Amino acid sequence: MPPLHHLVFVTALAVALGACASLQPTACRQGEQALVQDTLYLGTGKPQGGVVTPQEWDDFLQGTVTPRFPQGLSVLPASGQWRGADGAIVRENSYLLQLVHPDDEASDQSVGAIAAAYKSRFQQEAVLRARSRACVSF
């Protein structure tokens, strides 16, 4: 019989590999296309005080987001909270930016570039990115 730590390792490996299997492409119905939906959660509070103004947001959207995703996007105003690195709960108004795109490297890099640009431009500690597979039809 193998030592207990080997069994634990093999069990953990099997669980991890099983979790990876759930990331397989979504099987879409006839007439649907498999794409990726990224949602970025973009807080508007600035660490030095103040907020991202509607004009600053519009400039960011037109100058940074739209050139990368000219085919379309959705923006939803939101209000939320999160725990910062210092442990404090931050409550602020936010924008949810939804981007539906092909599952390719160029799109992935574009979404990452948008998040990085927002963090840099508005001195944000974090931008949450939620990525999921979606079946879409037009």
Side-chain angles (χ1 to χ4, degrees), residues 14-117:
V15 169
L17 291 175
C20 290
S22 67
L23 298 177
Q24 297 301 317
T26 303
C28 295
R29 297 179 180 159
Q30 185 176 356
E32 295 178 333
Q33 182 180 1
L35 296 173
V36 171
Q37 177 178 309
D38 271 299
T39 302
L40 297 180
Y41 294 76
L42 307 159
T44 60
K46 294 180 179 178
Q48 305 304 321
V51 297
V52 176
T53 67
Q55 184 62 53
E56 288 173 319
W57 169 253
D58 190 56
D59 291 347
F60 181 78
L61 192 61
Q62 297 308 314
T64 303
V65 181
T66 300
R68 289 178 170 88
F69 291 95
Q71 67 275 20
L73 55 95
S74 294
V75 175
L76 300 119
S79 178
Q81 69 180 41
W82 68 289
R83 184 180 307 272
D86 63 359
I89 298 292
V90 177
R91 292 178 180 88
E92 63 185 328
N93 290 327
S94 306
Y95 291 106
L96 274 60
L97 175 62
Q98 293 185 324
L99 304 163
V100 178
H101 57 81
D103 189 7
D104 59 28
E105 188 63 28
S107 297
D108 186 61
Q109 288 181 359
S110 289
V111 175
I114 290 167

Side-chain angles (χ1 to χ4, degrees), residues 8 76 122:
V8 171
L76 300 119
F122 300 112

